[in-house]
């Protein structure tokens, strides 16, 4: 287990290192960052002053290692537009996105796993077709349109739920359903296909032959094997929801990382953009590592692969 953990941890560190290079390069390859920060009406003297202030006049590799050194020391820089430290800006917006992503994932799992199990156990029935139809609708319906439908029905007509802001947990219900419903189809289909394959395996047939109750065969034997790829996909989906929630955050006026990233790109706020890219990459890498460890605990055979 320790060797497996060391290998996965090494891969995670390599991914984070490569992503840091990519995040740093994309911002600088998109144009002159000093000119972008100065704005269209800035004079050459203003641009040059910003270039010297932020070290953009140094060689690119010198800038990168200086940036990494500051990050390792806990200094993510200062927002050029907001006049605040990047840490302060991220601390203000990250909790909103974290709450949204986690609640959306919980909703997606509660919807997709039971439907996937039932669809896999009742293959080619009306229940199976209903689950597949729900999955197709979830991926075909644009998230902004689904969000507007939920707002109109539950916020405007029925007045059951708030439609903007993040003051209470009720404010996260509609955004979580919107974001989670988009992630649920892939999880549901993977659970369904896993259940179909596992129910035909030898160890499940053996469990049935011993006369075990049907629920025990499904939950303790079949689901344990079928859930392995779902765990990996769920981790990836959570990372996707944390990093790609800009549409949902905009529609529901949630001040999270997605909305902050979009606003920072419009403002050419370089320090904030780099910090968000690195933070999202770190979250993806750690979630993937966590999924690998959970899968290794569920199925010991993975540890020796």
């Amino acid at each position: 287990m320790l060797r497996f953990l060391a290998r996965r941890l090494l891969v995670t560190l390599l991914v984070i290192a490569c992503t840091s290079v990519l995040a740093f390069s994309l911002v600088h390859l998109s144009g002159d960052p000093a000119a972008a920060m100065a704005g269209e009406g800035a004079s050459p003297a203003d641009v040059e002053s910003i270039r010297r202030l932020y070290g953009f006049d140094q060689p690119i590799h010198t800038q990168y290692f200086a940036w990494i050194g500051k990050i390792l020391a806990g200094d993510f820089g200062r927002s050029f537009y907001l006049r605040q430290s990047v840490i302060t800006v991220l601390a203000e917006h990250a909790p909103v996105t974290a709450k949204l992503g986690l609640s959306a994932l919980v909703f997606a799992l509660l919807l997709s796993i039971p439907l996937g199990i039932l669809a896999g156990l009742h293959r080619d029935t009306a229940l199976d077709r209903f689950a597949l139809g729900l999955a197709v609708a979830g991926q075909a319906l644009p998230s902004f349109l689904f969000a507007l439908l939920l707002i109109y029905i539950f916020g405007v007509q029925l007045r059951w739920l708030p439609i903007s802001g993040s003051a209470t947990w009720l404010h996260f219900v509609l955004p979580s359903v919107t974001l989670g419903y988009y992630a649920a189809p892939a999880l549901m289909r993977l659970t369904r296909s896993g259940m179909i394959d596992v129910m035909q395996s030898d160890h499940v047939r053996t469990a049935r032959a011993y006369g075990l109750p049907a629920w025990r065969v499904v939950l303790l034997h079949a689901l344990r094997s079928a859930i392995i790829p779902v765990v990996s996909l769920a981790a990836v989906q959570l990372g996707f929801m944390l990093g790609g929630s800009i549409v949902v955050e905009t529609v529901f006026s949630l001040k999270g990382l997605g909305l902050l990233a979009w606003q920072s790109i419009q403002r050419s706020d370089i320090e904030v953009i780099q910090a968000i890219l690195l933070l999202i990459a770190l979250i993806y890498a750690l979630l993937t590592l966590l999924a690998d460890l959970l899968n290794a605990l569920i199925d010991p055979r993975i540890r020796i692969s």
Side-chain angles (χ1 to χ4, degrees):
M1 184 65 180
L2 291 178
R3 184 180 299 177
F4 173 84
L5 177 60
R7 290 201 308 266
R8 291 297 185 269
L9 188 58
L10 178 60
V11 172
T12 301
L13 293 176
L14 289 175
V15 169
I16 294 173
C18 293
T19 308
S20 70
V21 175
L22 182 61
F24 182 84
S25 302
L26 285 177
V27 173
H28 286 71
L29 293 176
S30 61
D32 186 356
M37 293 172 70
E40 295 182 0
S43 65
D46 293 334
V47 175
E48 188 62 28
S49 176
I50 291 176
R51 183 174 288 110
R52 288 195 303 269
L53 178 62
Y54 284 87
F56 295 140
D57 56 339
Q58 300 293 322
I60 191 70
H61 65 277
T62 303
Q63 296 181 46
Y64 171 74
F65 286 114
W67 177 62
I68 287 296
K70 291 193 299 182
I71 288 177
L72 293 177
D75 181 12
F76 283 79
R78 188 173 180 83
S79 170
F80 179 79
Y81 182 87
L82 299 173
R83 308 296 181 183
Q84 293 178 306
S85 68
V86 175
I87 288 292
T88 302
V89 176
L90 294 181
E92 180 183 351
H93 292 78
V96 175
T97 299
K99 291 177 184 177
L100 175 61
L102 291 173
S103 56
L105 180 64
V106 170
F107 171 78
L109 292 174
L110 292 177
L111 176 65
S112 61
I113 291 181
L115 275 178
I117 294 174
L118 292 175
L121 294 177
H122 303 280
R123 185 180 181 183
D124 297 328
T125 64
L127 180 60
D128 187 22
R129 288 190 290 271
F130 169 77
L132 291 176
L134 200 64
V136 171
Q139 290 191 322
L141 189 64
S143 58
F144 73 90
L145 180 58
F146 186 50
L148 293 176
L149 288 174
L150 292 179
I151 289 174
Y152 179 75
I153 295 173
F154 295 100
V156 177
Q157 293 295 324
L158 299 176
R159 298 183 180 275
W160 287 354
L161 296 167
I163 60 176
S164 65
S166 57
T168 66
W169 68 269
L170 289 174
H171 289 80
F172 287 91
V173 173
L174 294 182
S176 300
V177 171
T178 303
L179 198 58
Y181 184 53
Y182 185 78
L187 296 169
M188 191 279 293
R189 287 201 303 267
L190 197 60
T191 304
R192 174 186 178 273
S193 61
M195 289 298 299
I196 291 175
D197 293 337
V198 171
M199 291 302 292
Q200 300 173 355
S201 62
D202 292 336
H203 73 280
V204 171
R205 285 198 294 264
T206 302
R208 284 175 168 175
Y210 275 104
L212 295 178
W215 66 268
R216 189 169 182 179
V217 172
V218 172
L219 296 181
L220 299 184
H221 295 274
L223 185 60
R224 183 174 180 177
S225 299
I227 205 70
I228 292 176
V230 178
V231 172
S232 300
L233 181 59
V236 174
Q237 290 284 31
L238 178 57
F240 164 76
M241 287 186 284
L242 292 176
S245 59
I246 178 172
V247 174
V248 176
E249 290 181 4
T250 302
V251 172
F252 291 98
S253 299
L254 296 174
K255 294 182 179 180
L257 289 178
L259 186 58
L260 176 63
W262 174 248
Q263 292 173 341
S264 300
I265 292 172
Q266 292 178 314
R267 302 164 180 166
S268 298
D269 205 343
I270 305 296
E271 302 278 357
V272 177
I273 296 172
Q274 289 178 327
I276 292 175
L277 289 175
L278 191 59
L279 178 61
I280 292 174
L282 178 64
I283 291 173
Y284 261 97
L286 292 179
L287 287 174
T288 304
L289 175 63
L290 178 61
D292 290 339
L293 295 179
L294 289 176
N295 284 335
L297 292 175
I298 295 173
D299 189 352
R301 294 173 298 179
I302 297 178
R303 305 173 196 171
I304 60 175
S305 59

